[in-house]
Amino acid sequence: MSSTCIDTLSAEGRREFYNSFDTVLTDCDGVLWLLNNTLPGATEVMNGFKADNKKVFFVTNNSTKSHVQFLEKFHSLGFQASANEVVSTSFLAAKYVKANLDPAKRVYVIGSPAIACELDALNVKHFGVGEDYLKTSVPTFVENIKLEPDVGAVLVGFDEHFSYPKLFRAASYLKDPSVLFVATNTDESFPVAGTNLIMPGTGSLVCAVKTCAGRDPFVVGKPSSYICNVLMESNKIDPSRTIMIGDRCNTDILLGKRCGFKTLLVLTGVNTQKNIEEWSKSDDPKLQELVPDFYAQGINSLKATFPVPL
Amino acid sequence: MSSTCIDTLSAEGRREFYNSFDTVLTDCDGVLWLLNNTLPGATEVMNGFKADNKKVFFVTNNSTKSHVQFLEKFHSLGFQASANEVVSTSFLAAKYVKANLDPAKRVYVIGSPAIACELDALNVKHFGVGEDYLKTSVPTFVENIKLEPDVGAVLVGFDEHFSYPKLFRAASYLKDPSVLFVATNTDESFPVAGTNLIMPGTGSLVCAVKTCAGRDPFVVGKPSSYICNVLMESNKIDPSRTIMIGDRCNTDILLGKRCGFKTLLVLTGVNTQKNIEEWSKSDDPKLQELVPDFYAQGINSLKATFPVPL
């Protein structure tokens, strides 16, 4: 299978593309912004879709902000967004835990204050957020560690204070097979634009916990279709009239494929045109599945598909 | 394939077993000791082998002690052991890095002071050992991080101070494909005897680095046959007359199988009789490969195989 470049479509092709969907799901980091810098055209295009009465949902695997904090970020950067249009994994994970956890039990969290905030909002008891570094030697730590008796779930998201003691506690709680194991997302890493830096993602923390716990988590973020079931439950979405826009094929594009959406990769983030060219030629169905229907240099390319210039 | 229990062998079977090898390779944690407590019979059996002129090598994936520190531990617990009989992964990893690294380059180490000590002994320049916790926010960290210019290898071993900044640095250095990626071992976790605790092993740290770096390391420890090549180079070992004793099938037993040794699992550590019964019945060749030739309740069981009672 091959991928169609939006930037080189004919006028007819651009019209056809634009009219082929009435719901837009978009990733945020790498599509709409990099850190706090909006990418060119992002606000015009997304606000333009809404002005044209297309449904818009912002779907992010980022677990470092609460639902409310994301909404604030959208507004401060000039995006029109309402609460039910923002789907983030701190919110989704809390929702999943609330629905599946015995209310008498608590959650051990490896994650950010945003996750704590979302759990609080749903009255789910939790602990673990914040620093937990080794103050003594490992043998002394092992001798003195006390596991909490009422833990019913371990939830792993992005945690800048990830540490050996946290890993130890998570693995030990997860020894009990009745304890739920939930992860916000499994994004491996992010390039830091304009540098040689690689920023480890939640996926690398989740892998560490998986390895020592010997168990796989339930993942709420993309490409898990849980995120879509949540959307479909509460909003009328016709998959055949929906497009998923993203910068990472193994989350955004794969989610779109699994849910029967059209898929569009923008080249302002993780994956490159070279990636999709290689995967297109591959015989491996798992790599073929990562090839988007469309690709574009950036979200800005979509401007030219609007029937009335933005 | 099935596994023979040493504890129920006939007198003839015990004699045949004992005479079938003249070199003994043994794992340490979970076979000879648990933390600092010698397991029953361990010293008598190992010293007994030496008294009977069998060659003995202590082969451990543990990277938290230097060669010299291991030797001290053996002596303090009553094991007869000389320097060339002890093979540990901090030592092996330093040896591998020394042989493969441009001498003008340095090693970024996620690991223990023991690894630093072994690298120092071989005059390999390194940095990274010790605490490296996040003091600011991730964005501030990312803005201010400076990568060292002369890094030629990233070495990952057991590190009680494992942290997000360490993961970040490792992934960033490994972005350059010419930078070597070496791991001491990939043991996932260890049960803590008599508790519900699970102690994460180096394998879980290595998995975190692998995931964000998008690369696989060269592993020097068991089951990598590198450890055996090192032994075979410097010592005359006949694989068909060698037995490997261990408590973990995916390292000790697998190494033995790969090298053509006989294999013996002791049930005082990681794997259980139930594990080998399940794997014996499996159709999966990867699980079949984990089934040891022999198993025993503990190293103590070997006492009964000696021709003259110990």
Side-chain angles (χ1 to χ4, degrees):
Chain A
M1 78 161 294
S2 70
S3 198
T4 303
C5 180
I6 294 289
D7 304 275
T8 57
L9 283 177
S10 65
E12 170 65 20
R14 291 198 296 270
R15 199 161 38 240
E16 209 175 284
F17 169 79
Y18 190 87
N19 291 329
S20 71
F21 56 87
D22 42 39
T23 300
V24 180
L25 267 54
T26 184
D27 180 38
C28 302
D29 299 272
V31 177
L32 306 182
W33 59 63
L34 289 170
L35 292 175
N36 286 317
N37 305 311
T38 313
L39 283 160
T43 48
E44 297 95 309
V45 167
M46 296 313 299
N47 295 345
F49 284 143
K50 294 191 79 173
D52 273 0
N53 290 315
K54 293 190 192 277
K55 285 185 197 171
V56 166
F57 296 97
F58 302 94
V59 182
T60 173
N61 273 356
N62 189 320
S63 69
T64 64
K65 285 188 170 54
S66 68
H67 200 240
V68 170
Q69 288 170 323
F70 265 118
L71 211 52
E72 284 168 4
K73 177 162 184 173
F74 281 107
H75 293 162
S76 75
L77 293 177
F79 292 94
Q80 290 159 17
S82 59
N84 73 338
E85 290 167 343
V86 175
V87 184
S88 70
T89 54
S90 50
F91 168 73
L92 275 180
K95 190 177 152 82
Y96 178 84
V97 168
K98 174 73 179 180
N100 292 280
L101 182 71
D102 173 348
K105 299 271 187 175
R106 292 199 291 164
V107 188
Y108 176 62
V109 181
I110 294 183
S112 66
I115 292 179
C117 174
E118 297 292 8
L119 290 168
D120 287 339
L122 297 177
N123 287 318
V124 178
K125 287 169 282 180
H126 62 88
F127 66 104
V129 172
E131 291 190 9
D132 181 11
Y133 296 131
L134 197 75
K135 299 283 194 308
T136 59
S137 67
V138 171
T140 310
F141 172 78
V142 174
E143 246 170 66
N144 293 295
I145 185 176
K146 285 198 176 51
L147 294 183
E148 299 290 325
D150 53 356
V151 173
V154 171
L155 169 53
V156 182
F158 185 82
D159 190 338
E160 60 189 24
H161 296 302
F162 192 66
S163 67
Y164 188 75
K166 290 192 177 200
L167 198 51
F168 194 111
R169 289 182 218 280
S172 298
Y173 288 125
L174 288 167
K175 192 178 178 189
D176 175 351
S178 76
V179 171
L180 297 172
F181 181 16
V182 184
T184 55
N185 63 303
T186 55
D187 297 50
E188 297 89 351
S189 62
F190 305 89
V192 180
T195 71
N196 279 327
L197 301 173
I198 295 287
M199 185 166 163
T202 306
S204 56
L205 313 185
V206 171
C207 254
V209 179
K210 266 172 71 168
T211 301
C212 54
R215 289 174 57 178
D216 285 322
F218 179 81
V219 180
V220 298
K222 299 170 285 183
S224 162
S225 49
Y226 177 73
I227 204 165
C228 270
N229 298 342
V230 170
L231 273 177
M232 299 216 194
E233 269 169 29
S234 46
N235 301 278
K236 280 178 195 145
I237 287 184
D238 173 0
S240 72
R241 299 279 306 156
T242 297
I243 191 164
M244 172 78 217
I245 308 174
D247 70 317
R248 184 189 287 265
C249 293
N250 69 357
T251 53
D252 303 318
I253 303 307
L254 194 53
L255 173 79
K257 296 287 189 87
R258 287 182 178 171
C259 295
F261 305 152
K262 288 175 230 319
T263 52
L264 166 64
L265 181 77
V266 291
L267 302 176
T268 44
V270 172
N271 285 121
T272 62
Q273 190 173 344
K274 201 175 155 206
N275 291 146
I276 55 178
E277 282 165 6
E278 280 176 14
W279 298 334
S280 298
K281 289 179 207 143
S282 165
D283 292 333
D284 183 344
K286 285 195 173 176
L287 293 180
Q288 281 276 342
E289 207 180 0
L290 300 176
V291 178
D293 300 316
F294 301 95
Y295 70 95
Q297 290 309 308
I299 190 92
N300 200 37
S301 303
L302 295 187
K303 269 189 188 168
T305 70
F306 276 70
V308 178
L310 284 176
Chain B
M1 78 162 291
S2 70
S3 199
T4 303
C5 179
I6 294 290
D7 304 276
T8 57
L9 284 177
S10 65
E12 170 64 19
R14 292 197 296 269
R15 198 160 40 240
E16 208 176 285
F17 169 79
Y18 190 86
N19 292 329
S20 71
F21 56 87
D22 41 40
T23 300
V24 180
L25 268 55
T26 184
D27 179 40
C28 302
D29 298 274
V31 177
L32 306 182
W33 58 63
L34 289 170
L35 291 174
N36 287 316
N37 304 311
T38 314
L39 283 160
T43 48
E44 297 95 308
V45 167
M46 295 314 297
N47 294 345
F49 283 143
K50 293 192 80 174
D52 272 0
N53 290 315
K54 293 190 192 279
K55 286 185 195 171
V56 166
F57 296 97
F58 302 93
V59 182
T60 174
N61 272 357
N62 189 321
S63 69
T64 64
K65 286 188 168 54
S66 68
H67 200 240
V68 170
Q69 288 170 322
F70 265 119
L71 209 52
E72 284 168 3
K73 178 163 184 173
F74 280 108
H75 293 162
S76 75
L77 294 178
F79 293 94
Q80 290 160 18
S82 60
N84 72 339
E85 290 167 343
V86 175
V87 184
S88 71
T89 54
S90 49
F91 169 73
L92 274 180
K95 190 177 152 81
Y96 178 84
V97 168
K98 174 74 179 180
N100 292 280
L101 182 70
D102 174 348
K105 299 271 188 174
R106 293 198 292 163
V107 188
Y108 176 62
V109 180
I110 294 182
S112 65
I115 292 179
C117 175
E118 298 291 7
L119 290 167
D120 288 338
L122 297 177
N123 287 318
V124 178
K125 287 170 283 180
H126 62 87
F127 66 104
V129 172
E131 290 189 10
D132 180 10
Y133 297 132
L134 197 75
K135 299 284 195 305
T136 58
S137 68
V138 171
T140 310
F141 173 78
V142 174
E143 246 170 68
N144 293 294
I145 186 176
K146 285 200 176 48
L147 294 184
E148 300 290 326
D150 54 355
V151 172
V154 171
L155 169 53
V156 182
F158 185 82
D159 190 340
E160 61 189 22
H161 297 302
F162 192 68
S163 67
Y164 188 74
K166 290 191 177 201
L167 198 52
F168 194 111
R169 289 183 218 280
S172 298
Y173 288 124
L174 288 168
K175 191 179 178 189
D176 175 351
S178 76
V179 170
L180 297 173
F181 181 15
V182 184
T184 56
N185 63 302
T186 54
D187 297 50
E188 296 89 353
S189 63
F190 304 90
V192 180
T195 72
N196 279 328
L197 302 172
I198 295 287
M199 187 166 163
T202 306
S204 56
L205 313 185
V206 171
C207 253
V209 179
K210 267 172 69 168
T211 301
C212 54
R215 289 174 57 180
D216 285 322
F218 179 81
V219 181
V220 298
K222 300 170 285 184
S224 162
S225 49
Y226 176 73
I227 203 165
C228 270
N229 298 341
V230 169
L231 273 177
M232 299 216 193
E233 268 170 29
S234 46
N235 302 278
K236 282 179 193 142
I237 287 184
D238 173 1
S240 73
R241 298 279 306 157
T242 297
I243 191 164
M244 172 78 216
I245 308 173
D247 71 316
R248 185 189 287 264
C249 293
N250 69 357
T251 53
D252 303 318
I253 303 307
L254 194 54
L255 173 78
K257 296 286 188 88
R258 287 182 179 172
C259 295
F261 305 152
K262 288 175 230 318
T263 52
L264 166 63
L265 180 76
V266 291
L267 302 176
T268 44
V270 172
N271 286 121
T272 62
Q273 190 174 344
K274 201 176 155 204
N275 291 146
I276 55 179
E277 281 165 5
E278 280 177 14
W279 298 334
S280 298
K281 289 180 208 143
S282 166
D283 291 333
D284 183 344
K286 285 195 172 175
L287 293 179
Q288 281 277 340
E289 207 181 0
L290 300 176
V291 178
D293 300 316
F294 301 97
Y295 71 95
Q297 290 309 309
I299 189 92
N300 201 35
S301 303
L302 295 188
K303 270 189 186 170
T305 69
F306 277 70
V308 178
L310 286 174

